[in-house]
Amino acid sequence: MSAALAWITEPLAFEFMQRALAVTLVAAVACAVLSCWLVLIGWSLMGDAVSHAVLPGVVLAYVVGLPFAVGALVFGVGAVALIGTVRESTRVKADAAIGVVFTTLFALGLVLVSVVPSQIDLNHILFGNVLGVTDAELWQVLVLGVLAVVIALVKRRDLTLHAFDPTHAHAVGLHPRRLSALLLGLLAVTSVVGLQAVGVVLVVAMLIIPGATATLLTRRFSRMLVIAPVTAAVCAVVGIYASYYLDTSVGGTVVLAQGLAFTAAYVVTILARRRRTATRPVREAVAA
């Protein structure tokens, strides 16, 4: 028992591990809550776009000495607005507009990084630096993460109705365009939150995998809003501890844990479906 307790408490003896655990938990939960709507609406590619489009904003923020969240938010919101403008003013389809905007902005970020290599650590931006989080960055993540979750939960009924039936939402007095803007704004905020934990490349996984996992396990959206963040939180803790004892990348290990959780949910779903299929003839025979 004492050995197990020591195994749990040893990483927490270090202050940088405490901050890393806090940041990863907040980021995982915030991204997981939003992922439910992204998966439901089919905006997974939009999550990929925003998470990559913030890179030049992060680089420029570092260059001028501003908090990285400022630059990331500006470019995240700007990318969403640019994608919407291209979709509405041209015949280019949504997926093509998303692909053009996010790859161009991501390439711009890489160019900026190459121009100022002495000031920017590419690995920290792309893959996160959760073990080097400062107190100021911790509070930044806490404030933005809690704010995003609270807004999403307060507006969950309107957002859910908009996701299932935009026409009905408009008929009952809601404004689908405003709700879409709100959801995209929350996407930009949560991308910034997740960026600190796992970096630009992997934050899209935190915005998709939890919602996809919850979709496999339940058909009710209210349950998805519980399953997704709980699963993400467990994976965050497992990933943090595994990375400490295995000496692996924190962000990569956390996302890998989420991927394994999705795989487990998929296997359970397939087995349950086969079991129902196998027992159906028996039930029909009994009923006859």
Side-chain angles (χ1 to χ4, degrees), residues 193-213:
V193 173
L195 178 67
Q196 184 64 66
V198 298
V200 170
V201 175
L202 294 177
V203 69
V204 63
M206 298 181 72
L207 286 166
I208 297 174
I209 295 178
T213 303

Side-chain angles (χ1 to χ4, degrees), residues 34 38 46-47 50 80 182-192 207:
L34 191 66
L38 296 182
M46 183 66 81
V50 174
V80 169
L182 173 63
L183 195 57
L184 291 172
L186 293 175
L187 173 58
V189 173
T190 51
S191 295
V192 172
L207 286 166

Side-chain angles (χ1 to χ4, degrees), residues 5-198:
L5 183 60
W7 188 87
I8 295 174
T9 58
E10 179 182 331
L12 300 180
F14 302 98
E15 187 176 352
F16 70 89
M17 286 298 295
Q18 296 173 12
R19 289 196 294 265
L21 182 60
V23 167
T24 307
L25 274 173
V26 172
V29 171
C31 290
V33 170
L34 191 66
S35 73
C36 295
W37 283 287
L38 296 182
V39 171
L40 181 64
I41 298 176
W43 278 5
S44 298
L45 184 57
M46 183 66 81
D48 191 15
V50 174
S51 63
H52 283 72
V54 300
L55 177 59
V58 173
V59 178
L60 291 175
Y62 270 107
V63 169
V64 300
L66 293 174
F68 77 91
V70 175
L73 278 174
V74 170
F75 272 77
V77 174
V80 169
L82 186 56
I83 290 170
T85 301
V86 173
R87 288 173 54 190
E88 294 177 2
S89 61
T90 68
R91 292 183 296 174
V92 176
K93 294 184 178 180
D95 58 342
I98 292 172
V100 170
V101 171
F102 100 75
T103 52
T104 301
L105 289 177
F106 187 65
L108 173 61
L110 294 178
V111 170
L112 291 175
V113 168
S114 66
V115 172
V116 285
S118 61
Q119 300 179 29
I120 304 297
D121 189 333
L122 178 61
N123 289 328
H124 288 176
I125 296 175
L126 293 181
F127 304 109
N129 184 31
V130 71
L131 296 180
V133 171
T134 64
D135 289 336
E137 291 170 338
L138 172 61
W139 280 107
Q140 171 185 289
V141 169
L142 290 175
V143 171
L144 291 177
V146 171
L147 180 64
V149 171
V150 169
I151 293 176
L153 294 181
V154 168
K155 300 292 292 184
R156 67 185 183 280
R157 296 183 183 275
D158 294 346
L159 292 173
T160 303
L161 179 58
H162 169 60
F164 278 106
D165 193 348
T167 303
H168 180 62
H170 180 71
V172 298
L174 299 177
H175 299 276
R177 182 168 296 184
R178 292 181 184 177
L179 292 174
S180 295
L182 173 63
L183 195 57
L184 291 172
L186 293 175
L187 173 58
V189 173
T190 51
S191 295
V192 172
V193 173
L195 178 67
Q196 184 64 66
V198 298

